[in-house]
Amino acid sequence: MAFTTTTPQNLTTFTTSSHKPKLPFSPSHSLTFPTHPNQTLTSRAISTAISTSTRIHSLFTPRATSSPSSSTTAAETTFHGLCYVVGDNIDTDQIIPAEYLTLVPSKPDEYEKLGTYALIGLPSSYATRFVEPGESKTKYTVVIAGANFGCGSSREHAPVALGASGAAAVVAESYARIFFRNSVATGEVYPLESEGRLCEECRTGDVVTIELKESKLINHTTGKEYALKSIGDAGPVIEAGGIFAYARKTGMIPSH
């Protein structure tokens, strides 16, 4: 459902607010985690996921950056910038080809390099590159996709590559369950679901704003506004930086 909204004037800068750095993760670690934003995330479920590993404290190495204020919640998060539009069935090989899986995200330099290859596997029909050659970051804050985004393998590198590139969120008609789970568990990008096919409503380069509190996307280029499905209880986990950071923040595991 779309309706007209007022287009802000003088949009010359594109910024992402409340999207903070995440903690690098272990590619070999597997988590049992809710697979849809409408599923309830309980303390017991998180505790069960964490207990699957006996190496909790060695899996994550916090990046040397400061954390946002603890008063910031996922419900208050807003993203603003350019969008990059893709179609249906974008698989993990297109998001990050297997040849780049040797990069270790827990190493800062390799994490950054991983981001330069985000969506490099898209076919030649996508004339505009998500990350321009020679650039270390993308200029697109939001990826807008069709159905079944992130299908294919279970590689956690897929959402990590998007997060490392500088993207803050993906808005898709639907997701492969494993991609949604990995996005929440790693805290790299917000996997948001649209009520309709925004990939047919928006174009690469459109200026958009996502307001999580109101579960909506505003396309300032076209002057239209779209409803999104609520991220639900997965939001605070992503905002914290992933499942382990959330568990530390809430006292489920020691913070040291």
Side-chain angles (χ1 to χ4, degrees), residues 8 18-19 35 71 75 84 104 128 142 211-212 216 220 252:
S18 301
H19 187 61
T35 56
S71 64
Y84 187 88
V104 181
T128 302
V142 178
E211 296 182 2
L212 287 189
K216 67 180 181 180
H220 301 293
M252 294 180 185

Side-chain angles (χ1 to χ4, degrees), residues 28-47:
S28 63
H29 184 58
S30 178
L31 298 170
T32 300
F33 199 76
T35 56
H36 191 279
N38 292 328
Q39 289 182 280
T40 299
L41 182 64
T42 64
S43 297
R44 183 177 180 181
I46 295 178
S47 298

Side-chain angles (χ1 to χ4, degrees), residues 116-203:
T116 66
Y117 298 120
L119 290 173
I120 199 172
L122 288 174
S124 58
S125 56
Y126 289 88
T128 302
R129 288 276 295 272
F130 182 62
V131 181
E132 294 293 338
E135 297 295 326
S136 60
K137 297 291 183 182
T138 183
K139 63 182 179 181
Y140 302 102
T141 302
V142 178
V143 175
I144 295 178
N148 200 30
F149 185 84
C151 57
S153 74
S154 61
R155 66 190 66 165
E156 295 96 334
H157 285 71
V160 172
L162 291 174
S165 74
V170 178
V171 178
E173 184 179 5
S174 64
Y175 291 92
R177 292 165 65 91
I178 190 63
F179 180 88
F180 181 88
R181 190 199 72 169
N182 285 340
S183 296
V184 179
T186 60
E188 288 289 333
V189 291
Y190 282 83
L192 304 170
E193 287 188 275
S194 58
E195 294 285 358
R197 287 183 63 77
L198 267 63
C199 63
E200 296 179 354
E201 295 279 337
C202 303
R203 297 290 181 268

Side-chain angles (χ1 to χ4, degrees), residues 238-252:
I238 301 170
E239 174 63 24
I243 190 170
F244 283 93
Y246 180 79
R248 292 189 181 96
K249 180 180 179 180
T250 57
M252 294 180 185

Side-chain angles (χ1 to χ4, degrees), residues 211-255:
E211 296 182 2
L212 287 189
K213 184 177 181 179
E214 299 182 24
S215 295
K216 67 180 181 180
L217 181 146
I218 305 167
N219 187 324
H220 301 293
T221 301
T222 64
K224 293 182 178 180
E225 189 172 308
Y226 305 90
L228 303 177
K229 296 178 182 179
S230 173
I231 189 65
D233 290 340
V237 180
I238 301 170
E239 174 63 24
I243 190 170
F244 283 93
Y246 180 79
R248 292 189 181 96
K249 180 180 179 180
T250 57
M252 294 180 185
I253 60 175
S255 59

